[in-house]
Amino acid sequence: MLSLQEHSEIPPPIKGLQRQRTADFVPSHLISIRELPMEFISSLLQSADEMRLMVQFRGGGNESLKNKVLASVFYEPSTRTSCSFQAAMQRLGGSVICINEDHSSVKKGESLADTIRTMASYCDVIVLRHPIKGSAQIASMNSSSKPVINAGDGAGEHPTQALLDLYTISAELGYIGNSVGGPKMVVTLLGDLKFGRTVHSLALLLSRFPGIQLIYVAPEGLEMPSEIIQEIANSSSVEQVQRKSLEEVIGFTDVLYVTRIQKERFNNEEDYNKVMGSYCVDIQLMKMAKERMIVMHPLPRLSEISPEVDADPRAAYFRFEFTL
């Protein structure tokens, strides 16, 4: 096995997390960040280092999932999430069967529960994206005899994206949070924080690390849900701050996490038009940012980050396009 130390561009293990045997604490399903033990997260991120080495320096994958089948069940459009799961499964020697709402018995009125029961008989693991919050939980509890991975449930969570985001922060900056007494890592979440499932999962995940400050910047009506703010306040010592504009905080932000305003979550176009285009990270704004910081985005991007920012070395949103 290649050593991480042999390649300087491969990040070291996350500070404060030790590699342990994953088999001791693998959850039955991956539905919510809330359910994942820190030991599992640690082991998963270390495995991500190994997988990255395998792809970058060995030119491919291995046969560890040979004869295993992944069912990709997507009820919403997806490019990165669906393709990254498929690519990962195939690199590890497995195969993939795909269904979507437009080309399945869902068009005939079949329920989610019946679809999941059927797919479970054909595969070893199910990756599910669905527009209804809580759908992945329901599928895992009542319908599937096989592991279910939540690839996004409406405005609920996106746990695999949060794990990728955590890995990206560690790889780019070399650490997550800070020790007691040191300066806090400032993570600013910008955009649609109400419907953005990626920021829900990421905020919950980062709140489990010491030395983090979370800053929420959102258009009016799209603020971080109060129940998530309260949950973090009740379960951790992470400081949470709400601000009206990015200009107030960009100068001391370590991680700027930008999300689009999701038109598909609005009940009518008039409400969407009121907030669309209300923020944009451009070159002028980046001049106010720290030299050592990163800009992230779960993608797809619309107008919230100017394409001119792509050439900035602090723009990290195209550097980690893979699924843990």
Side-chain angles (χ1 to χ4, degrees):
M1 180 176 295
L2 293 174
S3 169
L4 298 184
Q5 283 69 37
E6 292 176 11
H7 305 284
S8 59
E9 64 268 40
I10 300 300
I14 293 178
K15 293 180 181 178
L17 293 182
Q18 300 299 320
R19 180 68 181 266
Q20 301 185 44
R21 290 198 309 124
T22 310
D24 293 339
F25 33 73
V26 173
S28 300
H29 305 277
L30 205 171
I31 306 300
S32 171
I33 281 295
R34 298 174 176 90
E35 303 167 353
L36 300 183
M38 288 298 286
E39 295 86 357
F40 175 76
I41 294 171
S42 172
S43 183
L44 194 63
L45 296 182
Q46 303 305 323
S47 294
D49 271 337
E50 297 169 6
M51 295 297 104
R52 185 178 171 194
L53 278 170
M54 180 180 68
V55 172
Q56 289 186 334
F57 298 105
R58 297 182 188 174
N62 60 37
E63 297 293 310
S64 59
L65 294 181
K66 186 177 180 180
N67 298 324
K68 299 296 183 181
V69 178
L70 178 148
S72 178
V73 183
F74 278 66
Y75 287 74
E76 287 186 320
S78 171
T79 300
R80 279 149 292 276
T81 302
S82 61
C83 290
S84 58
F85 270 106
Q86 293 177 48
M89 190 68 179
Q90 292 172 16
R91 284 186 183 279
L92 296 176
S95 58
V96 181
I97 51 177
C98 302
I99 67 167
N100 60 58
E101 188 175 11
D102 292 332
H103 299 91
S104 73
S105 292
V106 174
K107 295 288 284 187
K108 303 174 183 178
E110 183 175 63
S111 68
L112 172 64
D114 285 357
T115 297
I116 295 299
R117 287 191 184 97
T118 301
M119 298 307 294
S121 66
Y122 302 145
C123 70
D124 300 285
V125 61
I126 296 172
V127 177
L128 173 66
R129 171 168 289 186
H130 197 276
I132 298 177
K133 182 179 179 179
S135 55
Q137 182 70 38
I138 293 171
S140 67
M141 292 176 61
N142 302 324
S143 306
S144 181
S145 58
K146 303 293 172 59
V148 174
I149 297 175
N150 180 8
D153 60 333
E157 280 201 62
H158 197 336
T160 59
Q161 179 68 51
L163 291 166
L164 171 58
D165 293 334
L166 186 72
Y167 182 82
T168 300
I169 294 170
S170 172
E172 290 282 328
L173 297 179
Y175 66 102
I176 300 289
N178 263 321
S179 58
V180 177
K184 293 182 178 180
M185 171 181 276
V186 178
V187 180
T188 298
L189 307 179
L190 169 68
D192 180 358
L193 308 187
K194 178 180 180 180
F195 298 117
R197 56 195 174 204
T198 59
V199 291
H200 299 166
S201 290
L202 182 58
L204 290 167
L205 180 56
L206 289 174
S207 71
R208 301 170 70 175
F209 290 82
I212 295 280
Q213 182 186 42
L214 294 173
I215 299 180
Y216 307 133
V217 182
E220 186 175 356
L222 297 178
E223 294 88 355
M224 181 69 79
S226 58
E227 59 266 25
I228 291 183
I229 293 176
Q230 192 59 53
E231 180 179 347
I232 292 174
N234 292 341
S235 62
S236 77
S237 60
V238 165
E239 180 183 1
Q240 302 177 89
V241 179
Q242 299 194 66
R243 290 289 182 263
K244 293 295 184 182
S245 71
L246 181 58
E247 286 79 0
E248 296 179 57
V249 299
I250 186 66
F252 54 87
T253 290
D254 297 298
V255 178
L256 174 59
Y257 193 91
V258 187
T259 66
R260 68 184 174 94
I261 295 178
Q262 302 178 70
K263 185 177 182 179
E264 64 270 26
R265 308 294 177 204
F266 285 77
N267 292 324
N268 60 74
E269 191 164 348
E270 182 180 356
D271 290 340
Y272 170 73
N273 289 335
K274 291 178 181 178
V275 293
M276 67 173 293
S278 56
Y279 57 93
C280 178
V281 178
D282 56 22
I283 291 178
Q284 293 305 312
L285 195 64
M286 289 301 294
K287 290 180 180 178
M288 303 168 59
K290 297 166 62 174
E291 183 176 344
R292 180 170 169 75
M293 58 86 70
I294 55 172
V295 181
M296 299 174 61
H297 195 304
L299 303 174
R301 166 183 60 182
L302 300 181
S303 60
E304 59 277 359
I305 299 180
S306 170
E308 296 175 327
V309 176
D310 297 353
D312 191 308
R314 295 168 292 183
Y317 37 87
F318 287 122
R319 284 202 287 266
F320 287 86
E321 287 286 281
F322 63 94
T323 297
L324 298 176

